[in-house]
């Protein structure tokens, strides 16, 4: 219950929370300096309320008597949470989280609900350079979800439909025009598998082209919700000419990164 959530700065000094307020999902990570506990829920029209409820629930499930007093936010809605004690950019948290999950990684590709980004890392995990598309839905999770809806295929099943299929070329990348093109292809009798493979191929091409100026080198870690689509992972890896690794908990990279940065901040400020 939201009303019962009081953040007591004296309680649970040994944990911090990282919250990624994404455009489609909110993720909470509780970290104690050596391990983490993670949960997510769909975003709502009231991100602050949803985030606080999820924080309270995650804290309870993690066995805490109260939520951590240090709360770091990141993501699209990172400024929505008035209880936040720290706020970090998505680039900083995704880099930190991906490097924690894959310590050998030198490049991070993150595709979430509303943006796509590429981050080049130094061997000790510092951000060297990055690119980001957050101006339009093309090539993002929202684009895929809209196409899945037009095709009657849940977003989590798109990968299986496209695996091994010969892609049908999709020309439009704007979500509205691509939806019309997809509907027209269905009417022409093109198989859903070929259409979905075509959509995935265009996302992989577009992502590879967006990050090409940063010369991505292995190991390349793929994070964010779209990394759960194995067919896109495969096609992106072919476009880049390098293997692409999807770490366990890839969707939590931003929240993990926020929690790790909060932990460092906590240690530095004693
Ligand atoms: P945000 O942080 O912006 O909320 P996420 O990183 O959570 O975004 O990614 C959300 C996107 O991931 C959705 O728009 C959807 O397209 C995609 N997605 C979510 N779950 C899956 C899944 N199981 N398989 C493939 N794609 C998924």
């Amino acid at each position: 219950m939201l009303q019962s959530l009081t953040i007591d700065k004296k309680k649970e000094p040994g944990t911090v929370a990282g919250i990624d307020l994404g455009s489609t999902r909110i993720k909470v990570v509780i970290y104690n300096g050596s391990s983490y506990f993670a949960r997510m829920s769909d975003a709502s029209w009231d991100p602050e309320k949803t985030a606080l409820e999820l924080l309270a629930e995650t804290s309870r499930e993690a066995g805490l008597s109260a939520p951590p007093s240090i709360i770091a936010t990141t993501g699209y809605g990172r400024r929505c949470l008035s209880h936040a004690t720290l706020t970090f950019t998505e680039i900083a948290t995704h880099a930190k989280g991906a490097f924690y999950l894959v310590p050998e990684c030198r490049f991070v590709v993150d595709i979430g609900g509303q943006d796509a980004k590429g981050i080049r890392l130094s061997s000790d995990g510092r951000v060297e350079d990055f690119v980001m598309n957050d101006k339009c839905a093309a090539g993002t999770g929202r684009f895929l979800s809209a196409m899945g809806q037009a095709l009657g295929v849940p977003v989590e099943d798109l990968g299986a439909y496209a695996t091994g299929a010969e892609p049908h070329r999709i020309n439009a990348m704007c979500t509205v025009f691509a939806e019309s093109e997809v509907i027209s292809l269905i009417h022409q009798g093109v198989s859903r598998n070929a259409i979905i493979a075509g959509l995935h191929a265009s996302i992989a091409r577009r992502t590879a082209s967006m990050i090409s100026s940063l010369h991505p080198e292995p190991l390349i870690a793929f994070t964010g919700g779209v990394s759960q689509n194995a067919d896109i992972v495969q096609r992106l890896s072919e476009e880049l000419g390098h293997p692409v690794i999807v770490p366990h908990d890839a969707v939590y990279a931003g929240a993990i990164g926020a929690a790790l940065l909060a932990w460092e901040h906590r240690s530095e400020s004693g």
Side-chain angles (χ1 to χ4, degrees), residues 22-25 27 112-114 141-142 145 155-156 224-226 228-229:
S23 62
T24 60
R25 298 184 294 191
K27 299 98 180 166
Q114 206 145 280
R142 196 158 289 246
S145 299
V155 76
E156 55 274 13
V226 175
Q228 304 307 291
N229 182 322

Side-chain angles (χ1 to χ4, degrees), residues 185-263:
L185 290 173
I186 297 168
H187 292 156
Q188 288 167 39
V190 179
S191 77
R192 286 197 293 186
N193 307 57
I195 297 172
I196 296 167
L199 290 164
H200 290 176
S202 78
I203 288 178
R205 258 197 320 273
R206 193 184 166 90
T207 307
S209 146
M210 179 186 82
I211 63 179
S212 64
S213 63
L214 300 186
H215 307 293
E217 278 175 30
L219 283 180
I220 300 172
F222 189 2
T223 60
V226 175
S227 70
Q228 304 307 291
N229 182 322
D231 186 64
I232 293 184
V233 177
Q234 174 64 28
R235 291 179 200 273
L236 180 61
S237 161
E238 285 164 15
E239 283 289 336
L240 296 173
H242 295 300
V244 169
I245 289 161
V246 179
H248 178 65
D249 282 345
V251 292
Y252 287 104
I256 291 171
L260 293 171
L261 289 168
W263 187 264

